Amino acid sequence: MYSIRLESARDKATPIYLQLYQRLREAIAEGRLQPGERVPSVRALASELNLARGTVEAAYQLLVDEGYLLPRGPAGTVVSPQLPHAPGNPVLPAKERQASRSGDEPSAEALPFQLGLPALDSFPRKLWSRLGARHLRQLSSPDLNYPPAQGLPALRRSLVRYLGVSRGIACEPEQIFITAGYRNALLLIRQALLQAGDRCWFEDPGYFKARQMLEGSEVTLVPVPVDEQGLCVERGQALAPDARCALVTPSHQSPLGVSLSLPRRLALLDWAASRQAWIIEDDYDSEYRYVGRPLPALKSLDHAGRVLYCGTFSKVLFPGLRLAYLVVPQAQVARFAACAQDFDHGCPALPQAITADFLDQGHFARHLKRMRARYAERRAHLATALQHVLGSRLRVELQAGGIHLLARLDEREDDRALAARAQGAGLAVMALSEWSRQHPCGSGLLLGFTNIASAEQALHLARRLAEAIS
């Protein structure tokens, strides 16, 4: 370990934690700590320097927030691999590094406030690795062949049990199709049931990536407004009564966070049954509800076989897994199976097998229970910090569930301009109005909270946000 010399608090006005932060940052900038190199644990460095652990933790947290260090859970904390390797070159501040990064190059590390990302520091990687190692040791010749286009039977059986208990969905394994992410599930639906030019109700505001995918596949979207009860079904019937399908997020509307009320759920199902239309239910993060029990899926109320249910492991496990699933009505199984075979929707077998074990052995349920408690705490940290730092400028809307916050702004505020400033400062904030097509939804900022590990980090990030948008 390189030498760190600190002056006592009596000899220098700068607090000890800031001195340590400055020394470590200098070591990284001068190349004495290389990208990817592991730094000492908090306990070890505190013991070596005879400091309180809280002092070292405060210095490390500043370096993490600015992108110099990258926490990797049980694997320790390392110097960010994305920093330049050349010794002697000063490391760019977070704002400049973000500005210099190519717009087409995805970031390998979680950015502050990044949406749609679970807590990467809390995933049980050792357990997952152990399950994977067992499957690799038992690898047989059939496992080396192409995986089933519909998905691994073991995972589909596991999902039947899970969905029956947690979401109230009664289905058979043959009704479940495993896809490489949610957008691939939408693509499979498009290929099996829709034709170019078909009209589709789409929540406005709504999930922009789904909108882009459907528009790219020549489906005509009909933006339908959303209020405090969810999708306005009556407006949809007035705008496009002959629509071929409707894409909804009934459990936790994306991005407003409201739930589709029971009268509107029933009205939507009645419309689909009478018009022989389809309802695509995107149930992307219903597992994370902090008030009461998770709501039953819309699919659980479907007696006419008109709902196509989409779920994903990206929000509850990790996005690099690239696994989602689609439950189709029994009458449509043969059509979807033919499309899956023709268009090669198969996913690698190993991650499917590990996920099946993760579900069957009870790890999934335990992980969700831990994360609900952790997310409730992290959400409270961020809401409190935003209120303390920016309370006069924004209003946090706490919904019953979800993994992001909506901070409402005064209607005179340009949320797109503020989000652009925040993004220039290395904060992955999104403007609410970016998610809207035709129906105004107000001015606001969308902020992910899942990777904010402490109240101190939340306060620090809130101050960075305030500075960026002031």
Side-chain angles (χ1 to χ4, degrees):
M1 174 66 186
Y2 52 88
S3 173
I4 297 179
R5 179 176 177 273
L6 301 175
E7 302 177 48
S8 71
R10 291 189 298 271
D11 297 332
K12 189 170 181 178
T14 305
I16 296 295
Y17 82 95
L18 282 180
Q19 293 184 44
L20 179 57
Y21 156 78
Q22 291 165 356
R23 299 296 182 272
L24 288 166
R25 189 176 66 174
E26 290 168 2
I28 295 170
E30 295 170 4
R32 288 179 284 135
L33 274 175
Q34 291 291 317
E37 184 177 344
R38 183 171 176 172
V39 297
S41 68
V42 169
R43 184 188 300 272
L45 190 56
S47 175
E48 180 180 339
L49 299 177
N50 196 25
L51 298 175
R53 291 180 61 185
T55 300
V56 178
E57 286 175 347
Y60 273 20
Q61 192 58 61
L62 281 177
L63 292 163
V64 168
D65 292 342
E66 293 191 1
Y68 290 95
L69 297 183
L70 179 63
R72 287 182 169 169
T77 300
V78 300
V79 179
S80 174
Q82 292 193 344
L83 298 178
H85 281 262
N89 291 338
V91 177
L92 293 174
K95 179 175 181 179
E96 295 178 33
R97 287 202 313 276
Q98 179 70 14
S100 66
R101 187 180 290 154
S102 167
D104 296 328
E105 182 181 348
S107 172
E109 56 188 271
L111 296 174
F113 302 129
Q114 186 170 339
L115 298 182
L117 199 63
L120 302 182
D121 64 326
S122 302
F123 184 73
R125 281 172 283 189
K126 286 186 178 179
L127 170 61
W128 188 267
S129 299
R130 190 173 74 244
L131 294 175
R134 184 178 69 82
H135 280 284
L136 286 172
R137 287 194 299 270
Q138 297 174 354
L139 201 64
S140 62
S141 295
D143 296 325
L144 304 179
N145 204 344
Y146 289 105
Q150 191 169 337
L152 208 65
L155 179 56
R156 290 188 280 128
R157 289 192 296 268
S158 301
L159 282 169
V160 166
R161 292 187 287 270
Y162 168 69
L163 293 173
V165 173
S166 69
R167 309 300 296 127
I169 297 174
C171 62
E172 298 298 328
E174 64 265 19
Q175 293 177 251
I176 297 179
F177 290 78
I178 308 301
T179 66
Y182 167 59
R183 280 179 284 180
N184 267 26
L186 288 182
L187 184 60
L188 180 56
I189 293 171
R190 161 68 177 87
Q191 292 163 344
L193 298 178
L194 304 178
Q195 298 179 0
D198 279 349
R199 305 176 82 189
C200 175
W201 293 2
F202 191 87
E203 295 171 328
D204 193 23
Y207 183 41
F208 64 96
K209 290 188 177 180
R211 182 179 71 210
Q212 293 165 354
M213 201 290 298
L214 289 173
E215 288 177 332
S217 60
E218 300 181 324
V219 173
T220 302
L221 297 185
V222 179
V224 179
V226 174
D227 61 18
E228 65 277 359
Q229 294 187 58
L231 181 81
C232 298
V233 179
E234 288 186 1
R235 291 291 304 278
Q237 290 174 317
L239 291 167
D242 60 342
R244 183 67 174 145
C245 67
L247 194 154
V248 293
T249 50
S251 294
H252 182 241
Q253 200 277 331
S254 177
L256 298 181
V258 299
S259 298
L260 188 64
S261 65
L262 180 58
R264 290 193 181 175
R265 289 177 182 234
L266 297 177
L268 183 61
L269 290 167
D270 287 344
W271 165 79
S274 64
R275 293 283 182 170
Q276 292 296 290
W278 303 105
I279 299 171
I280 304 171
E281 179 179 9
D282 177 7
D283 203 27
Y284 64 103
D285 69 353
S286 63
E287 291 87 354
Y288 294 125
R289 189 173 176 87
Y290 314 113
V291 179
R293 294 179 59 82
L295 297 173
L298 181 64
K299 177 69 175 173
S300 68
L301 302 174
D302 176 31
H303 303 299
R306 309 311 302 177
V307 177
L308 304 151
Y309 177 88
C310 300
T312 178
F313 290 109
S314 294
K315 306 293 188 296
V316 292
L317 296 179
F318 57 95
L321 184 60
R322 301 305 298 142
L323 281 183
Y325 50 93
L326 171 65
V327 183
V328 308
Q330 184 69 55
Q332 304 301 321
V333 168
R335 179 183 296 186
F336 274 83
C339 284
Q341 191 68 47
D342 290 344
F343 292 95
D344 192 23
H345 282 275
C347 299
L350 180 60
Q352 292 187 67
I354 300 172
T355 304
D357 281 356
F358 200 74
L359 282 160
D360 292 342
Q361 297 176 18
H363 305 304
F364 189 71
R366 287 189 288 271
H367 179 65
L368 286 180
K369 183 177 180 181
R370 284 194 302 270
M371 299 318 298
R372 284 191 194 105
R374 188 158 300 174
Y375 286 170
E377 182 180 67
R378 293 183 177 189
R379 185 174 80 149
H381 288 332
L382 181 56
T384 300
L386 291 172
Q387 184 64 39
H388 177 72
V389 176
L390 285 156
S392 61
R393 192 165 183 186
L394 52 78
R395 182 182 79 258
V396 176
E397 292 188 352
L398 286 180
Q399 299 294 345
I403 56 175
H404 73 262
L405 288 181
L406 170 56
R408 289 282 187 179
L409 297 163
D410 187 279
E411 292 304 313
R412 295 168 294 180
E413 296 261 30
D414 184 349
D415 60 352
R416 299 190 187 204
L418 297 183
R421 291 183 202 168
Q423 291 163 11
L427 304 175
V429 175
M430 291 199 70
L432 174 62
S433 62
E434 290 277 6
W435 296 54
S436 179
R437 282 280 301 273
Q438 293 181 4
H439 303 93
C441 56
S443 180
L445 299 176
L446 300 169
L447 308 102
F449 59 79
T450 53
N451 286 281
I452 299 177
S454 66
E456 293 76 17
Q457 185 183 7
L459 187 59
H460 176 72
L461 290 174
R463 286 170 176 158
R464 282 182 61 187
L465 177 62
E467 180 181 356
I469 67 176
S470 62

